[in-house]
Amino acid sequence: MFSISPSTRLRTSPFYEATLADGVCAMTTYNQMLMPTSYGHPEEEYWRIINGVSMWDVAVERQVQLKGPDAGRLAQILAPRDLTKCKVGQGKYVPLCNHHGVLINDPILLKLDEERYWLSIADSNIWFWAEAIARERGLDVEVSEPDVSPLAVQGPKAETVVASIFGDWVRDLKYFWFRETEIDGIPVAVARSGWSKQGGFEIYLMDGTKGSALWNIVKEAGQPYGIGPGNPNWCERVESGLVSYGGDSDGHTNPFEVRMGKYVDLHVPDDTIGITALRRIAAEGPKRHQLGVVLDDPEPAKAEFTWSDIERNGQKIGDLTTCVWSYRMKKNIGFALVSVTAKPGDRVLVQRGSGAVEGTLCELPFL
């Protein structure tokens, strides 16, 4: 189709050379970095995450570090989720919003100690945002991007592979909890997390010069279990109902519209950014909600660059934000961000770039 031209504004990850050696053939851009999206065998890569174990270069999930006496206060100002009970070694999924209650990122917050937090971010510049808020509020905190790059190990056999590397203590980690450790002198934090419903871990590399070494340690440990390279699999994540910030949200989307309402605590302090707007939205009720849609087209749909209008009875009611072919369902499925008047079971017409396709709205997740 086309290639991406190298540029000093586009960074590679510590695992870049290892992914080239393992045959990466397609990448996208994310947080001004290259992110692998295919190793040439999409269905094989899909079934590997469903049935076995897959390793992903997700260094694009950059960390925004909050460090200093006011680190915890800044974290709470940024996140409309109650962090008062967050313990050292614990992570929490948090929606970040602007002053209008619009979603601007959905990171994992990790508490490393009482004066140091990481925000493991999606694709938007939260470093600048957090720094600006810290300076505007006069807080005693340093905001930076540390040398930290996650490597994901996902799938039903991931726990066995990661335990063989670090020890059986990883089996006792609760979801989103983590522990700092090392392997062969390589400093890492091991977290039970990852952008997959199949379960797994993210290994936060804390020395960017050791990317290939860590990649090869995981690759070797996973050989008995059929490990192979992959990426956050678009098909698996849609089947599982996992939202992609920026792909399934726009410049007007609030957390309640994309099933993130349970991660908003309306009782957080009044100086939390966006909480006033979020309280109002919660009281009035959101205008849109996210449903699934199953399309009637029997042929696998191609990815498109834009959202597609969804119509009901000749009137637009929302948008198809993501569409993929489900290998398990043998159907094209996607996410619909539609008016709250739309309900599961409604028949709709989706105006795809390749032509109009009929479909049916449904509950999420699909599987």
Side-chain angles (χ1 to χ4, degrees), residues 250 288 307-320 337-339 341-342 348-349 351:
D250 60 14
R288 298 181 296 180
W307 289 5
S308 301
D309 290 355
I310 296 179
E311 300 173 356
R312 182 185 59 185
N313 300 326
Q315 299 293 319
K316 179 177 178 178
I317 58 169
D319 299 275
L320 175 75
L337 187 57
V338 290
S339 166
T341 63
V348 294
L349 186 68
Q351 298 290 351

Side-chain angles (χ1 to χ4, degrees), residues 12 43 134 161 181 206 211 218 273-274 295 313 324 331 367:
T12 57
E43 186 168 358
V161 172
T181 185
M206 295 189 284
V218 175
I273 294 176
L295 302 182
N313 300 326
V324 298
K331 296 178 182 295
L367 295 172

Side-chain angles (χ1 to χ4, degrees), residues 145-199:
E145 183 186 291
D147 180 8
V148 178
S149 301
L151 169 64
V153 186
Q154 301 288 298
K157 298 180 182 178
E159 182 176 286
T160 300
V161 172
V162 175
S164 74
I165 299 170
F166 296 101
D168 282 340
W169 60 265
V170 302
R171 301 182 187 275
D172 297 325
L173 282 175
K174 299 176 184 177
Y175 201 69
F176 285 143
W177 287 68
F178 66 95
R179 182 192 294 185
E180 294 184 65
T181 185
E182 65 173 39
I183 180 69
D184 290 356
I186 304 172
V188 298
V190 179
R192 187 183 288 274
S193 58
W195 209 40
S196 159
K197 199 175 182 180
Q198 309 312 313

Side-chain angles (χ1 to χ4, degrees), residues 12-13 15-28 34-41 45 55-57 215 229-231:
T12 57
S13 90
F15 312 112
Y16 175 70
E17 296 296 336
T19 63
L20 292 181
D22 273 356
V24 66
C25 63
M27 295 200 183
T28 188
L34 289 172
M35 176 182 176
T37 56
S38 176
Y39 290 82
H41 307 282
E45 292 163 31
M55 56 190 297
W56 309 343
D57 172 4
W215 181 276
N231 58 282

Side-chain angles (χ1 to χ4, degrees), residues 41-58:
H41 307 282
E43 186 168 358
E44 178 182 317
E45 292 163 31
Y46 168 82
W47 289 113
R48 186 181 295 137
I49 182 64
I50 298 298
N51 297 322
V53 57
S54 182
M55 56 190 297
W56 309 343
D57 172 4
V58 286

